[in-house]
Amino acid sequence: LNVFLTAYRPVNTDINVYYKILNRNDTQRFEDSSWQLMTKINSSGTLYSPTRNDVYEFSFAPGTTGVDQGYVSYTSTNGQVYSDFYQFAIKIVLASSDTSKTPIIHDLRVLALPSGA
């Protein structure tokens, strides 16, 4: 599960992407699934736009500290661990310490591929 977006991101702002997934055999409701923070990959965490016309591509994937783990997994409310899914949702959170400077997303691409692809 990879997310790519092109955005204007001024200094002192952040873009966070969360996902939640549901396995076909899981009995919990999708709405009850937990949101999981994706990690910024390919130096996406250090990109800032010096001017409004400077936009960059940001990449996100399940993982930690900038490293794509290459798979997704979650633990259901019943304790079962699942590593594949048939349903997913993405949530984008734009954060800023100054309301006059906020990130602006220009486009969004989400790729959900089979494990190992």
Side-chain angles (χ1 to χ4, degrees):
L1 187 62
N2 291 339
V3 174
F4 304 93
L5 57 88
T6 304
Y8 161 71
R9 179 185 175 204
V11 174
N12 297 324
T13 67
D14 204 1
I15 301 170
N16 292 305
V17 177
Y18 295 82
Y19 74 95
K20 65 178 172 178
I21 55 177
L22 186 68
N23 183 282
R24 187 174 303 279
N25 298 318
D26 194 348
T27 57
Q28 80 177 4
R29 297 179 331 137
F30 185 69
E31 294 78 20
D32 296 335
S33 298
S34 298
W35 289 102
Q36 299 182 54
L37 179 65
M38 299 180 93
T39 190
K40 295 176 186 80
I41 57 175
N42 300 333
S43 302
S44 292
T46 60
L47 294 175
Y48 293 99
S49 304
T51 69
R52 181 79 162 75
N53 293 326
D54 294 313
V55 295
Y56 297 105
E57 180 172 89
F58 297 89
S59 305
F60 301 85
T64 56
T65 61
V67 178
D68 180 358
Q69 68 189 16
Y71 65 91
V72 294
S73 67
Y74 75 100
T75 304
S76 179
T77 54
N78 64 11
Q80 177 72 32
V81 176
Y82 295 100
S83 59
D84 58 353
F85 62 94
Y86 84 105
Q87 188 175 359
F88 72 92
I90 300 294
K91 174 172 60 171
I92 300 171
V93 177
L94 306 176
S96 177
S97 60
D98 180 351
T99 58
S100 68
K101 295 180 182 177
T102 59
I104 300 171
I105 296 175
H106 288 261
D107 61 67
L108 170 69
R109 295 157 324 275
V110 179
L111 298 175
L113 300 171
S115 179

